[in-house]
Amino acid sequence: MTRRMMVAGNWKMNGSAAAVDRFAEEISTAVDGLAAQLLICPPAVYIERLGRQVSGVAVAVGAQNVAAEREPGAFTGETSGEMVVDAGATYAIVGHSERRALYGETDQVVATKANAAAAAGLVPIICVGETLEQREAGQAEAVLAAQLDALFDHADQDTLSIAVIAYEPIWAIGTGHSATPDQAQEIHAFIRSHIRDRNATMAESVQLLYGGSVKPDNAAALFAGADVDGALVGGASLKADSFLDIARAAG
Ligand code: PEP
């Protein structure tokens, strides 16, 4: 099966109204003819602004997180899937390692959030990845298998059938030390084969993104991996020119 390449930007808690406007202007004229699906996930308050400015342009807008709760209620500070859909989001990242490490999101919470996102009509981009310690102890595959098994145990079939999975080794995020193309491909092949044991159809169709210090100068080599279907990009997605260079490397 040919899977479409995807390049998704995660702005984290960066940006401003002026930065959104500048990015939208720079990207709008430059994406024509690019084959990859493009997505930017700005801070939630800028989803609507960015979406308005790239409407008619082949760039989707997504959220970096959604509430686990689906119904409105007394959840101060939370933003539901339905709310980000109202703002124009079509995707939501869930289970980013920063959410897991800084905000205590467990595998079960991540699955619940993925379900909430999908129920609201969003495509969840579910992040998995191992720490440096775990990799050095030879536990990377076991850690990923456990994260994936928890997803299969707690996420709905409807959620999994549309989900994108992002492999983001924690040691590569924001460090400038990307996984090598071989390391990324090896783990992506492992993830796909682990998924195949649970759901053969999903294994073939699911887009597996690599994330962790993807830059214009390493993107093409990473994308050459047969099981690498694109990238989730942090730092290099903040500027339109580097994001576009990565998008061009994806075809
Ligand atoms: C990320 O935050 O998802 C990420 C991959 O960041 P960076 O590209 O900056 O390593």
Side-chain angles (χ1 to χ4, degrees):
M1 161 176 289
T2 33
R3 292 173 295 272
R4 193 168 174 204
M5 296 292 281
M6 174 174 209
V7 177
N10 169 19
W11 282 11
K12 314 191 186 193
M13 200 174 79
N14 292 292
S16 61
V20 166
D21 296 353
R22 197 165 47 243
F23 188 94
E25 194 186 331
E26 287 171 12
I27 208 165
S28 294
T29 51
V31 296
D32 287 351
L34 292 182
Q37 265 174 287
L38 304 181
L39 167 70
I40 295 291
C41 301
V45 290
Y46 299 128
I47 289 173
E48 187 152 19
R49 188 178 187 107
L50 182 61
R52 221 181 314 116
Q53 297 187 46
V54 296
S55 75
V57 177
V59 178
V61 180
Q64 298 172 15
N65 178 38
V66 291
E69 294 77 17
R70 302 189 194 188
E71 299 302 324
F75 306 111
T76 300
E78 290 294 299
T79 305
S80 71
E82 282 188 6
M83 290 170 185
V84 300
V85 168
D86 270 351
T90 50
Y91 287 79
I93 299 170
V94 296
H96 190 280
S97 64
E98 288 152 18
R99 301 284 327 163
R100 292 176 187 258
L102 302 174
Y103 303 100
E105 293 189 5
T106 61
D107 286 335
Q108 189 154 353
V109 168
V110 173
T112 305
K113 288 191 168 197
N115 285 337
L122 296 157
V123 175
I125 299 179
I126 304 166
C127 302
V128 294
E130 81 285 2
T131 64
L132 184 60
E133 246 181 359
Q134 290 164 335
R135 172 161 281 260
E136 287 178 347
Q139 295 166 350
E141 292 190 354
V143 167
L144 290 161
Q147 290 173 342
L148 293 168
D149 287 342
L151 256 188
F152 276 98
D153 291 345
H154 299 293
D156 300 334
Q157 193 46 48
D158 287 352
T159 303
L160 294 170
S161 67
I162 58 165
V164 174
I165 308 277
Y167 167 56
E168 297 214 305
I170 295 166
W171 47 271
I173 296 179
T175 59
H177 300 296
S178 168
T180 65
D182 285 349
Q183 284 173 324
Q185 168 54 27
E186 191 184 332
I187 293 289
H188 280 228
F190 169 77
I191 291 173
R192 202 177 297 286
S193 93
H194 196 79
I195 293 173
R196 192 171 292 120
D197 293 342
R198 304 288 294 250
N199 183 331
T201 314
M202 178 184 173
E204 297 320 309
S205 61
V206 66
Q207 288 167 301
L208 300 183
L209 309 185
Y210 167 77
S213 297
V214 177
K215 308 276 181 238
D217 62 1
N218 62 13
L222 288 161
F223 294 158
D227 291 293
V228 178
D229 305 314
L232 180 54
V233 185
S237 72
L238 291 170
K239 292 229 166 73
D241 57 356
S242 46
F243 180 73
L244 282 164
D245 282 343
I246 295 169
R248 288 186 196 104

